[in-house]
Amino acid sequence: MSLHLVFSAECNNALTWQAVGLFYSHRAVKQPGNITRLLACSKEQLRTYRGLNLGPTFVHHNMRFGHELINETDYPSYNKP
């Protein structure tokens, strides 16, 4: 059975290290199927982010910052596309 593993992350050091572990484990156990990271970054973060080449990655705009309709108190998970 083959599956496509997709996980979400943001452009920060903690989630980059978790991505390193997931990509490594996926390769080490020879998991059948693909793996893709959904990476939420602002334009400013993306300019200096150094972890884009860790593995297959789809980058999208991070809705956490600068969006007038987002209230972090009520629903903080805005790093999903």
Side-chain angles (χ1 to χ4, degrees), residues 42 61-72 75 78:
S42 67
H61 177 70
N62 192 340
M63 296 291 291
R64 183 181 301 273
F65 306 111
H67 196 284
E68 65 277 359
L69 298 177
I70 294 175
N71 176 348
E72 286 290 321
Y75 190 71
Y78 287 96

Side-chain angles (χ1 to χ4, degrees), residues 7-20:
F7 67 98
S8 64
E10 292 186 36
C11 286
N12 65 48
N13 291 335
L15 294 176
T16 299
W17 277 112
Q18 290 178 8
V20 168

Side-chain angles (χ1 to χ4, degrees), residues 10-80:
E10 292 186 36
C11 286
N12 65 48
N13 291 335
L15 294 176
T16 299
W17 277 112
Q18 290 178 8
V20 168
L22 281 170
F23 284 129
Y24 174 81
S25 296
H26 189 267
R27 282 189 299 269
V29 301
K30 297 180 172 81
Q31 177 69 40
N34 298 318
I35 183 170
T36 302
R37 172 178 57 165
L38 299 178
L39 187 62
C41 295
S42 67
K43 288 180 183 178
E44 295 79 26
Q45 289 173 313
L46 200 51
R47 277 189 221 116
T48 59
Y49 185 66
R50 297 174 54 188
L52 283 177
N53 63 345
L54 296 176
T57 300
F58 175 82
V59 179
H60 64 92
H61 177 70
N62 192 340
M63 296 291 291
R64 183 181 301 273
F65 306 111
H67 196 284
E68 65 277 359
L69 298 177
I70 294 175
N71 176 348
E72 286 290 321
T73 305
D74 297 329
Y75 190 71
S77 297
Y78 287 96
N79 66 342
K80 313 301 185 287

